[in-house]
């Protein structure tokens, strides 16, 4: 569980983890309620088994491989669910970054993109969670590739077996788990880009939650640009050499809004926002330049391209 930073219109947001530890409220709760959590978890399991027997609920089938969780982590995750029930929490959002088992973990894997896990359709919190997941999905999908792992391609995946989102039908609150990207993707590997990217996806998620909880607020918040990256003022030409990652990340974001990124014939999995001016961005720039009648700046952002970008994307105008 994690909070979406700066979410003023959500009544109360609560974070379970800091960078290094559980927050005190949760650390204390785990300590004082450990045995209760274990009991509660068993009771939920029995209750679900009973439901399966009475043929109300189908047994668990896992669509995607998941790491088995260390038992004490499992109890803490169950503890968060129990705590959420006891505190009448409306929504629990788990912030994850994805990976999968592969031979050489120091080499980037095959899959890229984000996915959102929601409780199985027969669980009590499934309908509400799916409604929230849909609005968050739309905001994220506008700027980020959806996972191309076979079981994740639908973007929103029903799961009955993930503790985090209420396995054994145990959570009352809407409970979603967002896998934002695979950990080896370029926007996470480069620290400078990572910083921009993490703020950006937090913002996109926040707007997506607002779409559900406060649609009018979402409209106001995302009036001209529904991204934290824009408006943006470019001061330098971008040539593919020694460019500022921030300039290129903003350029890629603007090109997405302009409808030219990813370039024709390529997917957003092949062309995520990387903060680097590579073949995807060059090709998109060519289309952009054609569209705005810019000549002689073939695939780099020269003075005329920068001027055009600044005219369209450097101010909040309506
Ligand atoms: Zn995960």
């Amino acid at each position: 569980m994690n909070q979406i930073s700066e979410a003023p219109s959500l009544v109360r947001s609560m974070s379970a983890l800091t960078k290094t530890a559980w927050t005190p409220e949760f650390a204390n709760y785990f300590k004082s309620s450990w045995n209760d959590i274990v009991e509660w978890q068993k009771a939920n399991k029995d209750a679900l088994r009973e439901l399966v027997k009475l043929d109300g609920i189908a047994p668990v089938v896992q669509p995607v491989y998941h790491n088995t969780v260390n038992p004490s982590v499992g109890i803490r995750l169950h503890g968060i669910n129990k705590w959420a029930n006891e505190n009448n929490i409306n929504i629990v959002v788990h912030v994850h970054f994805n990976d999968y088992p592969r031979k050489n973990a120091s080499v980037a894997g095959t899959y890229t993109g984000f996915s959102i896990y929601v409780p199985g359709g027969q669980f009590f919190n499934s309908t509400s969670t799916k409604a929230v997941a849909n609005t968050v999905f739309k905001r994220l999908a506008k700027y980020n590739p959806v996972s191309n792992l076979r079981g994740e391609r639908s973007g929103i995946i029903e799961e009955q077996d993930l503790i985090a989102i209420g396995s054994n039908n145990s959570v009352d609150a809407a409970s979603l788990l967002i896998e934002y990207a695979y950990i080896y993707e370029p926007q996470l590997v480069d620290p400078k880009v990572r910083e921009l990217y993490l703020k950006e996806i937090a913002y996109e998620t926040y707007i997506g939650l607002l779409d559900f909880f406060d649609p009018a607020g979402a409209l106001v918040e995302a009036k001209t640009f529904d991204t934290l990256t824009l408006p943006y003022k470019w001061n330098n030409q971008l040539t593919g050499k020694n460019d500022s990652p921030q300039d290129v990340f903003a350029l890629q974001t603007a090109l997405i809004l302009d409808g030219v990124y990813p370039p024709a014939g390529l997917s957003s999995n092949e062309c995520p926002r990387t903060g680097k001016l590579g073949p995807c961005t060059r090709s998109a720039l060519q289309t952009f330049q054609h569209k705005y009648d810019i000549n002689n700046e073939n695939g780099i952002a020269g003075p005329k391209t920068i001027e055009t970008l600044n005219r369209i994307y450097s101010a909040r105008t309506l």
Side-chain angles (χ1 to χ4, degrees):
M1 170 167 154
N2 214 313
Q3 77 182 63
I4 300 311
S5 58
E6 299 166 324
S9 54
L10 302 180
V11 176
R12 175 178 179 226
S13 91
M14 205 36 224
S15 183
L17 270 169
T18 66
K19 265 185 184 162
T20 51
W22 296 96
T23 53
E25 172 143 9
F26 285 93
N28 293 335
Y29 183 76
F30 297 146
K31 210 184 216 175
S32 64
S33 310
W34 193 264
N35 293 331
D36 292 348
I37 296 167
V38 173
E39 286 301 311
W40 180 77
Q41 169 195 352
K42 278 191 200 127
N44 286 325
K45 212 173 188 176
D46 292 345
L48 182 68
R49 198 176 298 131
E50 223 26 58
L51 278 175
V52 170
K53 234 191 318 192
L54 298 171
D55 140 63
I57 284 189
V60 168
V61 205
Q62 278 203 122
V64 173
Y65 169 87
H66 297 290
N67 276 331
T68 35
V69 46
N70 157 320
S72 76
V73 173
I75 290 167
R76 287 183 174 88
L77 287 172
H78 283 293
I80 290 172
N81 292 342
K82 188 168 187 288
W83 179 92
N85 288 353
E86 289 162 3
N87 288 277
N88 295 316
I89 297 298
N90 299 112
I91 181 162
V92 184
V93 180
H94 294 263
V95 174
H96 279 215
F97 292 90
N98 217 341
D99 202 0
Y100 67 98
R102 56 212 148 84
K103 272 207 178 109
N104 187 348
S106 62
V107 175
T110 311
Y111 308 110
T112 58
F114 81 93
S115 49
I116 304 179
Y117 283 85
V118 299
Q122 307 175 86
F123 284 6
F124 299 152
N125 63 342
S126 180
T127 308
S128 58
T129 305
K130 276 195 256 178
V132 187
N134 272 319
T135 60
V136 173
F137 175 85
K138 277 191 197 135
R139 294 293 181 178
L140 289 173
K142 183 167 174 186
Y143 294 102
N144 307 285
V146 175
S147 174
N148 53 10
L149 176 73
R150 186 186 291 274
E152 291 181 338
R153 281 178 201 160
S154 58
I156 298 176
I157 305 109
E158 283 190 15
E159 256 290 356
Q160 296 193 80
D161 206 27
L162 284 173
I163 302 171
I165 52 176
S167 59
N168 301 321
N169 198 27
S170 57
V171 184
D172 303 330
S175 192
L176 46 113
L177 186 158
I178 308 176
E179 297 281 2
Y180 280 97
Y182 283 80
I183 53 168
Y184 44 75
E185 291 187 50
Q187 70 273 31
L188 283 173
V189 171
D190 181 327
K192 278 195 193 137
V193 183
R194 186 198 305 147
E195 206 187 313
L196 305 168
Y197 166 76
L198 292 181
K199 284 186 187 150
E200 170 78 354
I201 55 175
Y203 181 79
E204 291 162 3
T205 307
Y206 164 57
I207 301 290
L209 292 173
L210 275 190
D211 286 332
F212 181 82
F213 288 102
D214 177 13
L219 279 180
V220 173
E221 173 73 37
K223 211 173 215 169
T224 30
F225 298 119
D226 51 7
T227 155
L228 198 63
T229 306
L230 302 175
Y232 189 83
K233 176 93 167 58
W234 290 267
N235 294 311
N236 300 301
Q237 299 184 36
L238 303 169
T239 62
K241 276 183 203 141
N242 302 318
D243 301 323
S244 124
Q246 195 164 2
D247 281 355
V248 179
F249 193 82
L251 167 69
Q252 289 164 335
T253 306
L255 293 174
I256 289 173
L257 276 180
D258 226 90
V260 300
Y261 195 89
L266 291 170
S267 70
S268 54
N269 295 84
E270 293 164 297
C271 299
R273 287 177 295 172
T274 55
K276 288 191 185 69
L277 204 159
C280 291
T281 312
R282 285 184 196 284
S283 174
L285 271 174
Q286 283 168 342
T287 312
F288 181 85
Q289 287 156 347
H290 188 74
K291 187 172 164 186
Y292 293 98
D293 257 333
I294 299 166
N295 299 310
N296 305 319
E297 296 189 358
N298 204 10
I300 63 156
K304 280 179 268 174
T305 303
I306 293 295
E307 192 193 308
T308 307
L309 285 167
N310 281 332
R311 179 161 50 77
I312 308 173
Y313 297 106
S314 75
R316 270 185 195 266
T317 46
L318 283 174

